[in-house]
Amino acid sequence: MKTVAGMLCLAGILSLGMGTTVFAEDGDSHYPVTITTYNYENEPVEMTFEKAPEKVFAYANSNIEELLALGLGDKIVAACGLDGDVREDLKDEFDKIQYMDTKPSKEEVVAMEPDFIAAWYSSFSDDWLSDVSFWQERCKYIHVPEQFCKGTGF
């Protein structure tokens, strides 16, 4: 159940104004939107979205496939971390994104200038991307669903 709730939360945040019909006809939006994400220590961190993300770096099947299923492949600047095949119904869209066979370095991700990173909590260790606070200053938005945090059964 936590997985479904977390995925719906990510889907809602990403779909706000990103190629979907969440905006009202008169241009009214749902922004600002505040979410709770988590740092590497599993501590909650609030983030407020002033607008829809436009340049997304995605890590892992779940995040990549969710973005593609929402029709947001054009927002993905790069992706990595597949641990299996992409769903058959998403393969055509997957072929259009920049997929990296190896994890890029933190510096390479910084150079991509993402304004949103969808990843697991373990991505934000000193061994790879650094803590969420490092990215808050650079790309603004991070989403680490609670169910992907250490000690939650995943």
Side-chain angles (χ1 to χ4, degrees):
M1 189 55 133
K2 277 187 170 183
T3 300
V4 172
M7 296 305 258
L8 289 174
C9 176
L10 176 60
I13 294 301
L14 291 174
S15 66
L16 290 175
M18 293 176 62
T20 65
T21 57
V22 175
F23 290 118
E25 289 296 317
D26 63 3
D28 186 26
S29 77
H30 298 286
Y31 291 94
V33 173
T34 299
I35 67 163
T36 300
T37 191
Y38 295 85
N39 65 17
Y40 189 68
E41 301 301 320
N42 291 349
E43 300 166 331
V45 177
E46 284 199 351
M47 296 189 146
T48 300
F49 290 70
E50 300 297 333
K51 64 180 186 125
E54 297 173 5
K55 295 173 72 177
V56 179
F57 175 73
Y59 174 74
N61 282 61
S62 56
N63 293 312
I64 297 166
E65 289 181 347
E66 185 167 309
L67 289 163
L68 294 174
L70 289 168
L72 303 173
D74 63 326
K75 304 297 182 191
I76 300 174
V77 294
C80 68
L82 291 180
D83 58 7
D85 292 333
V86 174
R87 288 184 2 209
E88 190 64 38
D89 61 319
L90 299 175
K91 285 189 178 189
D92 288 342
E93 290 304 309
F94 177 77
D95 290 341
K96 297 175 187 175
I97 69 169
Q98 179 184 343
Y99 180 77
M100 305 174 83
D101 290 325
T102 58
K103 288 194 300 191
S105 68
K106 176 174 73 174
E107 292 75 18
E108 289 173 310
V109 177
V110 168
M112 294 173 199
E113 300 181 337
D115 59 3
F116 187 89
I117 297 177
W120 294 6
Y121 92 96
S122 59
S123 306
F124 298 99
S125 70
D126 288 336
D127 294 335
W128 186 24
L129 294 177
S130 287
D131 194 64
V132 167
S133 61
F134 172 86
W135 289 99
Q136 282 179 300
E137 298 168 9
R138 287 158 182 80
C139 82
K140 193 69 173 157
Y141 310 120
I142 306 294
H143 184 62
V144 179
E146 182 179 14
Q147 72 269 15
F148 294 131
C149 290
K150 181 172 48 179
T152 59
F154 285 87

